[in-house]
Amino acid sequence: MESVLRNPLAERLEGARTVLVAGAGGGFDVYAGLPIALGLARAGKRVHLANLSFSALDGAPHPLGPDIAEVGPDTPGHPGYFPERTLARWLEGQGLPPVVHALHRTGGRPLRDAYRTLVERLGADAVVLADGGTDLLMRGDEAGLGTPEEDMASLAAVRGCGAGTRLAVCLGFGIDAYHGVSHALFLENIAALQRGGGYLGAFSVSPSSPEGAAYLDAVEHAQAATPERPSIVNGCIAAAVRGDFGDVRFTERTSGGELFVNPLMSIYFAFEADAVARRCLYLDRVAATESFREVQAAVQAHLFSLEAHRPARPLPH
């Protein structure tokens, strides 16, 4: 029974026994799903982690298929940048199953097949696709789409993965302004999803919760393990969860610009993944691709075909 006192995302996952939580945009995006994954595990669910990967995966075993690497704490790879292995090492330190399924950055069709394999072999009855940032919700007619290629390939794949419950979450409101995303248009897109029944509400990551505290620890661990390429997205989210505000500095990668860390960055926005997919104007183009280069070409072809954009505008508050 729905109530303002209950989390609608948790209600949608209440009947699930096994949940796959996956990072949509590559890099450290899987960390944006970590609080949800840990909360589900505490609730007695079997939880598996996956991530669209930017890493070189040649040294990792591929027991489930050519586009699915199984990454653990000792998987060979780049010493300075391997987010999936970094997360596996943190999980091991917490006494949790230290496995992250790293998905090759490929086209829509093979990525969909990889998700189908994961869902079938892991017995997942629900998938939660997590975006660090908000560009997952850009439908394709906005003045700025952020960095949509990986997000849209993941969204198209999850739409066709075969799991009975398919959800999407965005964590990190405001971060993608650096990539040209208008957050007024993000809110307009949420309103449209609300009218269509695809918006599942919002909730924040609290530093006093076990999941919030663990997320802060995981991000700190990742920043120490990857000093030359720490995650700006998760660094901003973690700062917001801690209660920091304004131009917070945690890496030289943000030098030359001004950050606006604020409490909105610690809020999860939750959606039915299929509802988000139906609103995307070019997802079918992406879904039909075989390689990541084709994904990039599909995005560019869509942008070239647009006759008009919804102009970016500032938030009036």
Side-chain angles (χ1 to χ4, degrees):
M1 182 177 179
E2 290 190 7
S3 166
V4 295
L5 301 180
R6 289 174 60 87
N7 180 333
L9 180 75
E11 287 187 346
R12 289 287 284 111
L13 293 169
E14 200 165 43
R17 293 172 297 176
T18 303
V19 183
L20 176 64
V21 179
F28 286 94
D29 252 21
V30 63
Y31 281 73
L34 193 56
I36 290 174
L38 295 172
L40 290 169
R42 288 186 70 239
K45 312 290 185 185
R46 289 191 296 270
V47 181
H48 299 275
L49 294 168
N51 194 44
L52 187 67
S53 183
F54 293 163
S55 307
L57 300 171
D58 296 341
H62 288 66
L64 299 182
D67 292 316
I68 310 169
E70 189 174 281
V71 177
D74 300 319
T75 299
H78 193 285
Y81 183 81
F82 199 163
E84 294 83 13
R85 185 182 61 196
T86 299
L87 179 54
R89 288 175 175 175
W90 181 83
L91 292 168
E92 182 180 49
Q94 304 299 307
L96 299 169
V99 174
V100 180
H101 300 281
L103 301 166
H104 285 247
R105 187 163 52 159
T106 184
R109 282 178 176 161
L111 190 58
R112 177 204 61 199
D113 291 342
Y115 265 99
R116 283 180 175 174
T117 298
L118 277 176
V119 167
E120 180 180 347
R121 296 289 293 274
L122 301 176
D125 40 19
V127 175
V128 179
L129 186 65
D131 180 27
T134 53
D135 51 1
L136 183 69
L137 238 65
M138 298 296 103
R139 68 190 303 261
D141 60 353
E142 298 86 357
L145 301 185
T147 54
E149 290 85 357
E150 291 86 2
D151 289 327
M152 292 304 108
S154 295
L155 181 61
V158 166
R159 179 181 61 172
C161 73
T165 299
R166 299 176 295 277
L167 307 175
V169 295
C170 295
L171 178 66
F173 181 89
I175 290 171
D176 285 325
Y178 177 79
H179 291 124
V181 169
S182 166
H183 286 78
L185 296 181
F186 169 74
L187 296 176
E188 184 179 338
N189 291 347
I190 289 181
L193 286 161
Q194 176 81 301
R195 293 192 297 272
Y199 177 45
L200 300 178
F203 59 97
S204 63
V205 180
S206 169
S208 62
S209 69
E211 298 84 1
Y215 171 75
L216 292 177
D217 187 70
V219 172
E220 183 179 357
H221 171 269
Q223 288 175 332
T226 318
E228 295 182 1
R229 293 181 63 185
S231 171
I232 295 174
V233 170
N234 285 286
C236 287
I237 295 168
V241 171
R242 287 193 302 267
D244 296 339
F245 186 83
D247 192 15
V248 179
R249 295 293 163 180
F250 51 86
T251 172
E252 292 183 359
R253 292 183 66 199
T254 61
S255 61
E258 184 176 353
L259 299 179
F260 182 53
V261 170
N262 66 86
L264 294 177
M265 289 181 175
S266 65
I267 293 177
Y268 272 114
F269 297 88
F271 312 92
E272 298 282 358
D274 286 11
V276 178
R278 284 193 297 270
R279 281 183 45 80
C280 181
L281 299 175
Y282 61 99
L283 201 68
D284 288 342
R285 291 182 189 240
V286 171
T289 58
E290 297 291 342
S291 68
F292 188 70
R293 187 179 296 274
E294 289 181 14
V295 172
Q296 294 172 311
V299 175
Q300 291 303 313
H302 164 71
L303 292 174
F304 184 78
S305 69
L306 272 182
E307 296 182 359
H309 293 89
R310 290 153 63 199
R313 61 179 185 271
L315 292 170
H317 299 290

